Amino acid sequence: MKLCRFGPRGAEKPGLYDKAGKLRDLSGVISDFGPAELSRESLHRLSGLDLESLPEVGGDVRLGVPVARIPQIVAIGLNYEDHAIEANLPIPAEPATFLKSVSSLNGPYDDVMLPKDSEHSDWELELGVFIGKTARYVTEAEAPGHIAGYCVVNDLSERFNQKQRGSQWSKGKGADTFCPVGPWLVTADEVANANDLAMYLYVNGVRRQVGNTRTMIFNVPQIIAYVSRYITLHPGDLVITGTPPGVGEGIKPDPIYLKAGDEMRFGIEQLGEQTHQVVAWRHLDQKELS
């Protein structure tokens, strides 16, 4: 299934795309699509619905983050060898983990806003993994049973804040709008092999990133098992798994960073595509931040 949330920011409704690509309204079945709806039992109930009996959503509608009330975002850094090399950092012997603020969540077509005075904002296309069952000290063999589905994520980063303001990457990772997710969550049963998905990212029509999840240093089950040793993963948690080479910081001889007016388009095989306009910083009101 391709599950989503649609409508104005802060007032999204749950939805589902049928096999014909039509958006169906699930609000008569569930009030929202949040952590509780990611359990295997809940997903099974949704998969048994008569989709043609659900209201079709017409017109041009906004898509929001596909899961409401995401508890935490756990990120893996330097998980592609070529990316570690372009970043001039050692190949990690264990997954490098950090937390990304949930206040950075953003819809799949919403504007990406640069942080105030930013001159080093960068893109990072990543495979996202949604947790559907609490994971605590799980094995690699057990890990797939804790996965609800997959999505496209951009782990946007302000490089100066990330690397020049102390040792905590979160300063460069948690800006408002810096974690676009979507356009939908594809349930795990529809993704035959999450460790072999083609990836691409374009900035202003120029291809900047190309890769495949099969070149990850640590694959999805290894990541889930590893993280669960140190952080209990709960339903609704989002794990993002690292970026392939081609980030702006790594462009030679001169890095290229995002600026207002740029357009990003990026996607992952089977999981959809996002498009964003990059805009300058401005003060956001509470409704825009919800």
Side-chain angles (χ1 to χ4, degrees), residues 25-40:
D25 188 345
L26 281 174
S27 62
V29 180
I30 54 175
S31 60
D32 204 347
F33 189 65
E37 287 70 42
L38 291 178
S39 70
R40 183 163 295 181

mmCIF file with all atom_site columns, all heavy atoms in Angstrom, residues 25-40:
data_model
loop_
_atom_site.group_PDB
_atom_site.id
_atom_site.type_symbol
_atom_site.label_atom_id
_atom_site.label_alt_id
_atom_site.label_comp_id
_atom_site.label_asym_id
_atom_site.label_entity_id
_atom_site.label_seq_id
_atom_site.pdbx_PDB_ins_code
_atom_site.Cartn_x
_atom_site.Cartn_y
_atom_site.Cartn_z
_atom_site.occupancy
_atom_site.B_iso_or_equiv
_atom_site.pdbx_formal_charge
_atom_site.auth_seq_id
_atom_site.auth_comp_id
_atom_site.auth_asym_id
_atom_site.auth_atom_id
_atom_site.pdbx_PDB_model_num
ATOM 1   N N   . ASP A 1 25 ? -9.712  8.682   0.258  1.00 0.00 ? 25 ASP A N   1
ATOM 2   C CA  . ASP A 1 25 ? -9.829  9.276   1.586  1.00 0.00 ? 25 ASP A CA  1
ATOM 3   C C   . ASP A 1 25 ? -10.093 8.175   2.617  1.00 0.00 ? 25 ASP A C   1
ATOM 4   O O   . ASP A 1 25 ? -11.089 7.451   2.531  1.00 0.00 ? 25 ASP A O   1
ATOM 5   C CB  . ASP A 1 25 ? -10.971 10.291  1.580  1.00 0.00 ? 25 ASP A CB  1
ATOM 6   C CG  . ASP A 1 25 ? -11.057 11.098  2.864  1.00 0.00 ? 25 ASP A CG  1
ATOM 7   O OD1 . ASP A 1 25 ? -10.442 10.704  3.871  1.00 0.00 ? 25 ASP A OD1 1
ATOM 8   O OD2 . ASP A 1 25 ? -11.761 12.130  2.857  1.00 0.00 ? 25 ASP A OD2 1
ATOM 9   N N   . LEU A 1 26 ? -9.211  8.062   3.599  1.00 0.00 ? 26 LEU A N   1
ATOM 10  C CA  . LEU A 1 26 ? -9.351  7.064   4.652  1.00 0.00 ? 26 LEU A CA  1
ATOM 11  C C   . LEU A 1 26 ? -9.964  7.625   5.925  1.00 0.00 ? 26 LEU A C   1
ATOM 12  O O   . LEU A 1 26 ? -10.081 6.905   6.925  1.00 0.00 ? 26 LEU A O   1
ATOM 13  C CB  . LEU A 1 26 ? -7.979  6.467   5.009  1.00 0.00 ? 26 LEU A CB  1
ATOM 14  C CG  . LEU A 1 26 ? -7.391  5.398   4.088  1.00 0.00 ? 26 LEU A CG  1
ATOM 15  C CD1 . LEU A 1 26 ? -5.973  5.059   4.532  1.00 0.00 ? 26 LEU A CD1 1
ATOM 16  C CD2 . LEU A 1 26 ? -8.254  4.150   4.088  1.00 0.00 ? 26 LEU A CD2 1
ATOM 17  N N   . SER A 1 27 ? -10.340 8.890   5.920  1.00 0.00 ? 27 SER A N   1
ATOM 18  C CA  . SER A 1 27 ? -10.779 9.520   7.170  1.00 0.00 ? 27 SER A CA  1
ATOM 19  C C   . SER A 1 27 ? -12.078 8.935   7.712  1.00 0.00 ? 27 SER A C   1
ATOM 20  O O   . SER A 1 27 ? -12.396 9.113   8.888  1.00 0.00 ? 27 SER A O   1
ATOM 21  C CB  . SER A 1 27 ? -10.920 11.039  6.981  1.00 0.00 ? 27 SER A CB  1
ATOM 22  O OG  . SER A 1 27 ? -11.896 11.349  6.009  1.00 0.00 ? 27 SER A OG  1
ATOM 23  N N   . GLY A 1 28 ? -12.819 8.209   6.892  1.00 0.00 ? 28 GLY A N   1
ATOM 24  C CA  . GLY A 1 28 ? -14.004 7.522   7.384  1.00 0.00 ? 28 GLY A CA  1
ATOM 25  C C   . GLY A 1 28 ? -13.683 6.202   8.049  1.00 0.00 ? 28 GLY A C   1
ATOM 26  O O   . GLY A 1 28 ? -14.555 5.583   8.669  1.00 0.00 ? 28 GLY A O   1
ATOM 27  N N   . VAL A 1 29 ? -12.424 5.777   7.919  1.00 0.00 ? 29 VAL A N   1
ATOM 28  C CA  . VAL A 1 29 ? -11.985 4.498   8.483  1.00 0.00 ? 29 VAL A CA  1
ATOM 29  C C   . VAL A 1 29 ? -11.103 4.708   9.705  1.00 0.00 ? 29 VAL A C   1
ATOM 30  O O   . VAL A 1 29 ? -11.252 4.033   10.731 1.00 0.00 ? 29 VAL A O   1
ATOM 31  C CB  . VAL A 1 29 ? -11.226 3.674   7.422  1.00 0.00 ? 29 VAL A CB  1
ATOM 32  C CG1 . VAL A 1 29 ? -10.759 2.334   7.991  1.00 0.00 ? 29 VAL A CG1 1
ATOM 33  C CG2 . VAL A 1 29 ? -12.094 3.466   6.192  1.00 0.00 ? 29 VAL A CG2 1
ATOM 34  N N   . ILE A 1 30 ? -10.162 5.655   9.602  1.00 0.00 ? 30 ILE A N   1
ATOM 35  C CA  . ILE A 1 30 ? -9.276  6.006   10.709 1.00 0.00 ? 30 ILE A CA  1
ATOM 36  C C   . ILE A 1 30 ? -9.212  7.533   10.801 1.00 0.00 ? 30 ILE A C   1
ATOM 37  O O   . ILE A 1 30 ? -9.379  8.231   9.801  1.00 0.00 ? 30 ILE A O   1
ATOM 38  C CB  . ILE A 1 30 ? -7.849  5.431   10.529 1.00 0.00 ? 30 ILE A CB  1
ATOM 39  C CG1 . ILE A 1 30 ? -7.255  5.847   9.172  1.00 0.00 ? 30 ILE A CG1 1
ATOM 40  C CG2 . ILE A 1 30 ? -7.856  3.921   10.670 1.00 0.00 ? 30 ILE A CG2 1
ATOM 41  C CD1 . ILE A 1 30 ? -5.814  5.416   8.972  1.00 0.00 ? 30 ILE A CD1 1
ATOM 42  N N   . SER A 1 31 ? -8.979  8.040   11.999 1.00 0.00 ? 31 SER A N   1
ATOM 43  C CA  . SER A 1 31 ? -8.967  9.487   12.182 1.00 0.00 ? 31 SER A CA  1
ATOM 44  C C   . SER A 1 31 ? -7.699  10.125  11.641 1.00 0.00 ? 31 SER A C   1
ATOM 45  O O   . SER A 1 31 ? -7.710  11.278  11.201 1.00 0.00 ? 31 SER A O   1
ATOM 46  C CB  . SER A 1 31 ? -9.126  9.835   13.665 1.00 0.00 ? 31 SER A CB  1
ATOM 47  O OG  . SER A 1 31 ? -8.062  9.284   14.415 1.00 0.00 ? 31 SER A OG  1
ATOM 48  N N   . ASP A 1 32 ? -6.602  9.389   11.666 1.00 0.00 ? 32 ASP A N   1
ATOM 49  C CA  . ASP A 1 32 ? -5.332  9.882   11.139 1.00 0.00 ? 32 ASP A CA  1
ATOM 50  C C   . ASP A 1 32 ? -4.443  8.669   10.934 1.00 0.00 ? 32 ASP A C   1
ATOM 51  O O   . ASP A 1 32 ? -4.785  7.550   11.336 1.00 0.00 ? 32 ASP A O   1
ATOM 52  C CB  . ASP A 1 32 ? -4.684  10.890  12.100 1.00 0.00 ? 32 ASP A CB  1
ATOM 53  C CG  . ASP A 1 32 ? -3.720  11.841  11.391 1.00 0.00 ? 32 ASP A CG  1
ATOM 54  O OD1 . ASP A 1 32 ? -3.365  11.573  10.220 1.00 0.00 ? 32 ASP A OD1 1
ATOM 55  O OD2 . ASP A 1 32 ? -3.314  12.846  11.996 1.00 0.00 ? 32 ASP A OD2 1
ATOM 56  N N   . PHE A 1 33 ? -3.311  8.886   10.294 1.00 0.00 ? 33 PHE A N   1
ATOM 57  C CA  . PHE A 1 33 ? -2.362  7.807   10.101 1.00 0.00 ? 33 PHE A CA  1
ATOM 58  C C   . PHE A 1 33 ? -1.135  8.114   10.949 1.00 0.00 ? 33 PHE A C   1
ATOM 59  O O   . PHE A 1 33 ? -0.263  8.882   10.565 1.00 0.00 ? 33 PHE A O   1
ATOM 60  C CB  . PHE A 1 33 ? -1.995  7.658   8.626  1.00 0.00 ? 33 PHE A CB  1
ATOM 61  C CG  . PHE A 1 33 ? -1.187  6.425   8.342  1.00 0.00 ? 33 PHE A CG  1
ATOM 62  C CD1 . PHE A 1 33 ? -1.751  5.170   8.523  1.00 0.00 ? 33 PHE A CD1 1
ATOM 63  C CD2 . PHE A 1 33 ? 0.124   6.512   7.930  1.00 0.00 ? 33 PHE A CD2 1
ATOM 64  C CE1 . PHE A 1 33 ? -1.003  4.028   8.295  1.00 0.00 ? 33 PHE A CE1 1
ATOM 65  C CE2 . PHE A 1 33 ? 0.867   5.371   7.696  1.00 0.00 ? 33 PHE A CE2 1
ATOM 66  C CZ  . PHE A 1 33 ? 0.307   4.126   7.879  1.00 0.00 ? 33 PHE A CZ  1
ATOM 67  N N   . GLY A 1 34 ? -1.114  7.521   12.161 1.00 0.00 ? 34 GLY A N   1
ATOM 68  C CA  . GLY A 1 34 ? -0.043  7.785   13.105 1.00 0.00 ? 34 GLY A CA  1
ATOM 69  C C   . GLY A 1 34 ? 0.619   6.511   13.565 1.00 0.00 ? 34 GLY A C   1
ATOM 70  O O   . GLY A 1 34 ? 0.431   5.436   12.970 1.00 0.00 ? 34 GLY A O   1
ATOM 71  N N   . PRO A 1 35 ? 1.412   6.562   14.637 1.00 0.00 ? 35 PRO A N   1
ATOM 72  C CA  . PRO A 1 35 ? 2.151   5.384   15.106 1.00 0.00 ? 35 PRO A CA  1
ATOM 73  C C   . PRO A 1 35 ? 1.291   4.154   15.332 1.00 0.00 ? 35 PRO A C   1
ATOM 74  O O   . PRO A 1 35 ? 1.678   3.035   14.988 1.00 0.00 ? 35 PRO A O   1
ATOM 75  C CB  . PRO A 1 35 ? 2.788   5.881   16.403 1.00 0.00 ? 35 PRO A CB  1
ATOM 76  C CG  . PRO A 1 35 ? 2.993   7.346   16.183 1.00 0.00 ? 35 PRO A CG  1
ATOM 77  C CD  . PRO A 1 35 ? 1.780   7.780   15.399 1.00 0.00 ? 35 PRO A CD  1
ATOM 78  N N   . ALA A 1 36 ? 0.089   4.324   15.922 1.00 0.00 ? 36 ALA A N   1
ATOM 79  C CA  . ALA A 1 36 ? -0.753  3.168   16.223 1.00 0.00 ? 36 ALA A CA  1
ATOM 80  C C   . ALA A 1 36 ? -1.197  2.440   14.966 1.00 0.00 ? 36 ALA A C   1
ATOM 81  O O   . ALA A 1 36 ? -1.450  1.223   14.991 1.00 0.00 ? 36 ALA A O   1
ATOM 82  C CB  . ALA A 1 36 ? -1.971  3.605   17.029 1.00 0.00 ? 36 ALA A CB  1
ATOM 83  N N   . GLU A 1 37 ? -1.294  3.152   13.857 1.00 0.00 ? 37 GLU A N   1
ATOM 84  C CA  . GLU A 1 37 ? -1.759  2.543   12.606 1.00 0.00 ? 37 GLU A CA  1
ATOM 85  C C   . GLU A 1 37 ? -0.636  1.828   11.849 1.00 0.00 ? 37 GLU A C   1
ATOM 86  O O   . GLU A 1 37 ? -0.870  1.281   10.774 1.00 0.00 ? 37 GLU A O   1
ATOM 87  C CB  . GLU A 1 37 ? -2.393  3.607   11.704 1.00 0.00 ? 37 GLU A CB  1
ATOM 88  C CG  . GLU A 1 37 ? -3.756  4.087   12.159 1.00 0.00 ? 37 GLU A CG  1
ATOM 89  C CD  . GLU A 1 37 ? -3.715  4.917   13.429 1.00 0.00 ? 37 GLU A CD  1
ATOM 90  O OE1 . GLU A 1 37 ? -2.805  5.776   13.548 1.00 0.00 ? 37 GLU A OE1 1
ATOM 91  O OE2 . GLU A 1 37 ? -4.577  4.711   14.296 1.00 0.00 ? 37 GLU A OE2 1
ATOM 92  N N   . LEU A 1 38 ? 0.583   1.836   12.404 1.00 0.00 ? 38 LEU A N   1
ATOM 93  C CA  . LEU A 1 38 ? 1.710   1.189   11.734 1.00 0.00 ? 38 LEU A CA  1
ATOM 94  C C   . LEU A 1 38 ? 1.912   -0.261  12.171 1.00 0.00 ? 38 LEU A C   1
ATOM 95  O O   . LEU A 1 38 ? 2.816   -0.929  11.671 1.00 0.00 ? 38 LEU A O   1
ATOM 96  C CB  . LEU A 1 38 ? 3.003   1.975   11.979 1.00 0.00 ? 38 LEU A CB  1
ATOM 97  C CG  . LEU A 1 38 ? 3.098   3.334   11.298 1.00 0.00 ? 38 LEU A CG  1
ATOM 98  C CD1 . LEU A 1 38 ? 4.406   4.017   11.659 1.00 0.00 ? 38 LEU A CD1 1
ATOM 99  C CD2 . LEU A 1 38 ? 2.979   3.210   9.793  1.00 0.00 ? 38 LEU A CD2 1
ATOM 100 N N   . SER A 1 39 ? 1.099   -0.733  13.106 1.00 0.00 ? 39 SER A N   1
ATOM 101 C CA  . SER A 1 39 ? 1.242   -2.123  13.530 1.00 0.00 ? 39 SER A CA  1
ATOM 102 C C   . SER A 1 39 ? 0.854   -3.047  12.377 1.00 0.00 ? 39 SER A C   1
ATOM 103 O O   . SER A 1 39 ? 0.102   -2.668  11.467 1.00 0.00 ? 39 SER A O   1
ATOM 104 C CB  . SER A 1 39 ? 0.353   -2.419  14.736 1.00 0.00 ? 39 SER A CB  1
ATOM 105 O OG  . SER A 1 39 ? -1.016  -2.415  14.362 1.00 0.00 ? 39 SER A OG  1
ATOM 106 N N   . ARG A 1 40 ? 1.370   -4.261  12.428 1.00 0.00 ? 40 ARG A N   1
ATOM 107 C CA  . ARG A 1 40 ? 1.071   -5.229  11.369 1.00 0.00 ? 40 ARG A CA  1
ATOM 108 C C   . ARG A 1 40 ? -0.427  -5.491  11.289 1.00 0.00 ? 40 ARG A C   1
ATOM 109 O O   . ARG A 1 40 ? -0.993  -5.633  10.199 1.00 0.00 ? 40 ARG A O   1
ATOM 110 C CB  . ARG A 1 40 ? 1.836   -6.520  11.639 1.00 0.00 ? 40 ARG A CB  1
ATOM 111 C CG  . ARG A 1 40 ? 1.660   -7.583  10.576 1.00 0.00 ? 40 ARG A CG  1
ATOM 112 C CD  . ARG A 1 40 ? 2.717   -8.649  10.667 1.00 0.00 ? 40 ARG A CD  1
ATOM 113 N NE  . ARG A 1 40 ? 4.043   -8.113  10.381 1.00 0.00 ? 40 ARG A NE  1
ATOM 114 C CZ  . ARG A 1 40 ? 5.152   -8.850  10.372 1.00 0.00 ? 40 ARG A CZ  1
ATOM 115 N NH1 . ARG A 1 40 ? 5.089   -10.140 10.622 1.00 0.00 ? 40 ARG A NH1 1
ATOM 116 N NH2 . ARG A 1 40 ? 6.321   -8.292  10.105 1.00 0.00 ? 40 ARG A NH2 1
#
